[in-house]
């Protein structure tokens, strides 16, 4: 597309802001439509659930640490906590939008009601976007569209899967509508679902003289945010070297190591939390208090609900939970884009079918991209930035997509691998580092590790053995950020800064490469001693 062509961006959350910025970098003209009165999307808190918008509860904290979930050229202030309350993250998102001059491209309190191909689509690839503001409806022609409306909007409440629920006399709600523990104090609450929301809500309720049971169909690994030596989990776990080992080792060895690591904190089988298939790399639950609440007896885990009665529920193991006051369904969300023809994104078997989780493969012109739908153990912000960079380059023609057949073959290949890694799931899951590097290779921004070892070994050691932080993806190539090297070399300083409020000795920082060397040298030393004395 020629310079200055217009791109409609739907939603001004982190995906939308990344898309605006990336369009500007490529010389495109973005116009973003946001139905609320501010940026932030999911992280813009409201004390009541609003139609068509994501909704979070007051006690939400991030599960990714600040150094791993920033925009790649915009680090958090060093005094920000490593895991942030939603209000702190919203401050950062607003600061990013202001710093990058993105607010002028956003039309707030504007609802997109329709996105359709223009009659000339086969030639132009253009879209007609119908939007409403102040009771007036207008339409505009755009050269491309980026859908950034997220996937935490339309709740999945599977009533048909729970016989007797219609006869249940207590309160029934989805976690989307939960806004605090006050209304449930002293009551008996059943939470359906062992995801992050279900566990957060159950743990919070268990502090308020509330008897809580979590019902889970398949169990889950539960991780603390605090990992080895007290460092944030993702700065220790999400590294290129660890990713290499997971992919290079035989699956039996890799699976054994994974299960062993997941069980390091506590033995999941003793708490009723053990996943049915523990080797699957599904996203674990992050909760620092759940095992403690189970130990204290204020919360317990049960299997799936077999049926509901008027005031109770029977579980698959034959046990019952009596005198239930409320049932909270923490059963996730469904993918929906009511302004768009379903067949565009769900082009096969009513399943989301997108090349690299972004582009519909069966389309005459690659002028529609979905940003932020993919999920992984990595953070959403750098992922959406990488997706938007590639999409903007496809729109301008500086990057091209494969043929429809090649894209469909790739989707099938990834689906098969996803089944092996994550099991059966409707969620678009992927391996974070592999995915980010793949997108980086498309745009010429994948870090060249060998070149770094030859030219800048100090940086290379941090890039390969240290955290795979977002700065790595703006280290080289188009969109390179001059401050990326410094940000990588100082990331541990910013990690320690907010927690080291009483300095009694020199701050410690991980040295994974030297730890690995010591681990490898020990058997050699032992062997040499044996040879000397034998």
């Amino acid at each position: 597309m020629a310079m200055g062509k217009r791109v409609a961006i739907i939603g001004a959350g982190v995906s939308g802001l990344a898309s605006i910025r990336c369009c500007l970098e490529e010389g495109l003209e973005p116009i973003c439509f946001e139905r609320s009165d501010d940026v932030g999307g999911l992280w813009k808190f409201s004390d009541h659930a609003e139609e068509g918008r994501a909704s979070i509860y007051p006690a939400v904290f991030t599960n990714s640490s600040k150094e791993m979930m920033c925009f790649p050229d915009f680090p958090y202030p060093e005094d920000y906590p490593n895991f942030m309350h939603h209000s702190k993250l919203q401050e950062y998102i607003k600061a990013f939008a202001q710093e990058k001059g993105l607010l002028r491209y956003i039309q707030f309190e504007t609802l997109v009601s329709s996105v359709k191909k223009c009659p000339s689509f086969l030639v132009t690839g253009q879209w007609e976007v119908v939007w409403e503001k102040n009771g007036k409806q207008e339409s505009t022609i755009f050269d491309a569209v980026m859908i950034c409306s997220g996937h935490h909007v339309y709740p999945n409440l599977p009533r048909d899967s729970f016989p007797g629920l219609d006869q249940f006399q207590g309160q029934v709600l989805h976690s989307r509508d939960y806004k605090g523990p006050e209304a449930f104090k002293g009551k008996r609450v059943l939470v359906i679902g062992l995801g992050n929301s279900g566990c957060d809500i159950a743990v919070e309720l268990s502090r308020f003289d509330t008897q809580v049971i979590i019902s889970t169909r398949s169990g889950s690994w539960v991780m603390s945010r605090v990992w080895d030596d007290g460092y944030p989990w993702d700065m220790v776990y999400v590294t290129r070297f660890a990713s290499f080992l997971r992919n290079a080792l035989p699956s039996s060895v890799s699976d054994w190591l994974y299960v062993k690591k997941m069980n390091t904190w506590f033995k999941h089988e003793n708490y009723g939390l053990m996943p049915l298939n523990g080797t699957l790399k599904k996203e674990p639950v992050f909760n620092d208090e759940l095992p403690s609440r189970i130990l204290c007896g204020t919360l317990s885990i049960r299997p799936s609900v077999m049926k509901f009665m008027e005031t109770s529920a029977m579980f698959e193991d034959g046990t019952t939970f009596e005198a239930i006051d409320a049932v909270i369904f923490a059963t996730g969300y469904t993918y929906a884009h009511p302004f768009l023809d379903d067949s565009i994104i769900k082009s096969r078997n009513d399943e989301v079918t997108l090349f690299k989780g972004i582009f519909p493969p069966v389309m005459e012109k690659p002028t529609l991209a979905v940003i932020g739908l993919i999920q992984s153990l990595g953070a959403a912000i750098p992922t959406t930035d990488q997706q938007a960079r590639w999409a903007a380059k496809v729109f301008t023609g500086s990057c091209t997509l494969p043929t429809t057949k090649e894209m469909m073959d790739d989707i099938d290949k990834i689906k098969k691998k996803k089944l092996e890694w994550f099991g059966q799931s409707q969620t678009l899951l992927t391996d974070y580092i592999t995915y980010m590097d793949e997108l980086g290779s498309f745009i010429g921004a994948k870090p060249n590790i060998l070149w770094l070892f030859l030219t800048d070994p100090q940086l290379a050691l941090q890039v390969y053995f240290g955290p795979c932080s977002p700065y790595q993806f703006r280290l080289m190539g188009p969109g390179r950020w001059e401050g990326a090297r410094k940000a990588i070399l100082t990331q541990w300083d910013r990690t320690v800064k907010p927690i080291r409020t009483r300095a009694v000795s020199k701050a410690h920082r991980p040295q994974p490469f030297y730890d690995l060397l010591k681990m490898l040298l020990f058997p050699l030393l032992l062997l040499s001693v044996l040879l000397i004395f034998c």
Side-chain angles (χ1 to χ4, degrees):
M1 293 193 306
M3 196 76 131
K5 292 298 180 69
R6 292 202 293 182
V7 180
I9 297 171
I10 302 170
V14 294
S15 301
L17 295 178
S19 296
I20 296 171
R21 192 266 290 269
C22 293
C23 282
L24 293 172
E25 287 180 332
E26 294 300 317
L28 299 168
E29 181 188 339
I31 299 177
C32 179
F33 300 100
E34 168 57 45
R35 70 182 296 162
S36 74
D37 60 358
D38 204 353
V39 298
L42 173 69
W43 299 102
K44 180 185 178 297
F45 176 76
S46 172
D47 58 8
H48 63 281
E50 301 174 20
E51 183 185 354
R53 282 200 65 246
S55 176
I56 55 175
Y57 38 94
V60 166
F61 280 77
T62 63
N63 291 329
S64 297
S65 63
K66 66 176 183 179
E67 289 302 305
M68 300 295 279
M69 67 173 298
C70 61
F71 287 99
D73 59 345
F74 195 72
Y76 289 87
E78 62 176 11
D79 60 343
Y80 266 44
N82 284 283
F83 295 99
M84 290 165 284
H85 186 254
H86 64 78
S87 58
K88 206 72 177 171
L89 180 54
Q90 177 68 351
E91 284 180 19
Y92 169 81
I93 293 169
K94 293 174 75 169
F96 174 78
Q98 291 166 355
E99 174 71 21
K100 302 298 181 181
L102 307 181
L103 296 177
R104 73 184 78 172
Y105 301 98
I106 306 172
Q107 296 190 19
F108 291 107
E109 298 180 317
T110 304
L111 171 67
V112 172
S113 55
S114 172
V115 175
K116 293 181 179 179
K117 294 178 182 178
C118 288
S120 60
F121 184 84
L122 286 173
V123 176
T124 64
Q126 291 181 325
W127 299 81
E128 181 188 15
V129 177
V130 179
W131 46 277
E132 302 171 16
K133 185 178 177 69
N134 298 326
K136 295 180 180 179
Q137 190 176 89
E138 294 188 40
S139 69
T140 308
I141 303 301
F142 287 92
D143 298 287
V145 175
M146 302 175 86
I147 298 175
C148 307
S149 50
H151 49 84
H152 292 98
V153 177
Y154 302 98
N156 174 39
L157 212 166
R159 288 180 174 272
D160 294 343
S161 301
F162 294 91
L165 185 59
D166 292 340
Q167 281 72 50
F168 177 68
Q169 295 178 354
Q171 184 182 4
V172 176
L173 68 153
H174 190 271
S175 57
R176 182 178 190 274
D177 299 304
Y178 174 84
K179 292 296 177 179
E182 295 78 12
F184 303 94
K185 189 174 181 181
K187 295 185 177 181
R188 293 166 66 83
V189 179
L190 173 61
V191 177
I192 307 286
L194 188 67
N196 286 306
S197 296
C199 288
D200 280 353
I201 292 168
V203 164
E204 183 174 54
L205 291 176
S206 70
R207 303 191 202 109
F208 288 83
D209 192 30
T210 303
Q211 184 59 49
V212 186
I213 283 180
I214 298 177
S215 168
T216 175
R217 183 180 59 206
S218 56
S220 178
W221 294 118
V222 178
M223 284 171 50
S224 172
R225 293 177 176 88
V226 185
W227 258 38
D228 301 347
D229 297 323
Y231 295 112
W233 74 270
D234 47 359
M235 295 191 74
V236 177
Y237 186 78
V238 185
T239 74
R240 291 183 175 278
F241 179 64
S243 178
F244 164 75
L245 286 181
R246 285 192 293 272
N247 289 299
L249 289 171
S251 58
S252 56
V253 177
S254 178
D255 291 346
W256 179 81
L257 289 171
Y258 178 73
V259 171
K260 183 176 173 58
K261 187 62 181 178
M262 290 296 107
N263 251 333
T264 302
W265 186 25
F266 66 94
K267 300 302 179 188
H268 284 64
E269 55 267 36
N270 293 343
Y271 288 72
L273 292 165
M274 188 73 180
L276 291 180
N277 188 340
T279 62
L280 293 178
K281 309 303 189 291
K282 286 184 177 180
E283 181 182 1
V285 169
F286 293 92
N287 198 291
D288 302 296
E289 293 184 65
L290 182 63
S292 173
R293 304 314 298 175
I294 294 173
L295 279 175
C296 292
T298 58
L299 190 158
S300 60
I301 309 296
R302 300 283 179 85
S304 289
V305 172
M306 190 167 70
K307 64 176 179 177
F308 280 96
M309 284 76 81
E310 290 183 350
T311 60
S312 61
M314 178 181 288
F315 303 100
E316 285 184 344
D317 61 359
T319 60
T320 59
F321 186 29
E322 303 287 345
I324 303 173
D325 295 295
V327 177
I328 301 175
F329 280 85
T331 44
Y333 295 82
T334 59
Y335 296 122
H337 301 95
F339 49 80
L340 187 70
D341 183 348
D342 256 359
S343 66
I344 292 175
I345 291 177
K346 298 180 179 180
S347 59
R348 186 176 62 180
N349 302 330
D350 199 35
E351 294 178 349
V352 174
T353 308
L354 297 169
F355 180 60
K356 304 305 177 188
I358 302 173
F359 287 102
V362 186
M363 190 167 289
E364 300 85 355
K365 297 284 184 179
T367 55
L368 183 138
V370 183
I371 308 297
L373 210 55
I374 281 278
Q375 295 182 63
S376 72
L377 264 185
I381 291 177
T383 305
T384 59
D385 183 75
Q386 195 83 323
Q387 290 178 327
R389 289 169 74 187
W390 182 42
K393 287 183 176 295
V394 170
F395 294 159
T396 60
S398 58
C399 286
T400 56
L401 297 183
T403 65
T404 295
K405 184 183 183 306
E406 289 171 332
M407 288 192 281
M408 293 301 291
D409 288 346
D410 184 80
I411 289 168
D412 290 337
K413 178 182 172 184
I414 289 175
K415 184 178 180 180
K416 183 180 177 182
K417 190 169 183 178
K418 175 193 154 193
L419 199 62
E420 294 171 1
W421 272 64
F422 306 108
Q424 194 66 45
S425 172
Q426 295 302 311
T427 307
L428 294 181
L429 295 164
T430 189
D431 179 68
Y432 176 68
I433 296 176
T434 303
Y435 182 70
M436 292 289 281
D437 275 351
E438 191 171 31
L439 297 187
S441 67
F442 295 158
I443 59 179
K446 178 184 174 182
N448 187 328
I449 307 299
L450 180 59
W451 177 253
L452 284 177
F453 271 111
L454 293 173
T455 59
D456 194 341
Q458 180 190 14
L459 178 62
L461 287 174
Q462 287 298 318
V463 168
Y464 192 70
F465 291 98
C468 187
S469 48
Y471 318 117
Q472 294 191 14
F473 302 102
R474 293 250 180 193
L475 186 62
M476 51 184 63
R480 177 176 178 270
W481 176 45
E482 291 294 331
R485 182 183 188 275
K486 181 180 178 182
I488 292 169
L489 295 178
T490 57
Q491 58 196 356
W492 286 111
D493 298 333
R494 289 188 298 278
T495 301
V496 173
K497 173 71 175 179
I499 57 177
R500 197 168 177 265
T501 52
R502 175 178 171 264
V504 293
S505 62
K506 187 178 179 181
H508 178 267
R509 59 187 290 176
Q511 301 288 344
F513 174 67
Y514 299 107
D515 292 341
L516 175 68
L517 276 182
K518 285 185 282 186
M519 185 177 70
L520 294 175
L521 286 173
F522 178 75
L524 293 175
L525 181 63
L526 188 63
L527 179 62
S528 62
V529 170
L530 289 172
L531 290 172
I532 291 170
F533 291 99
C534 291

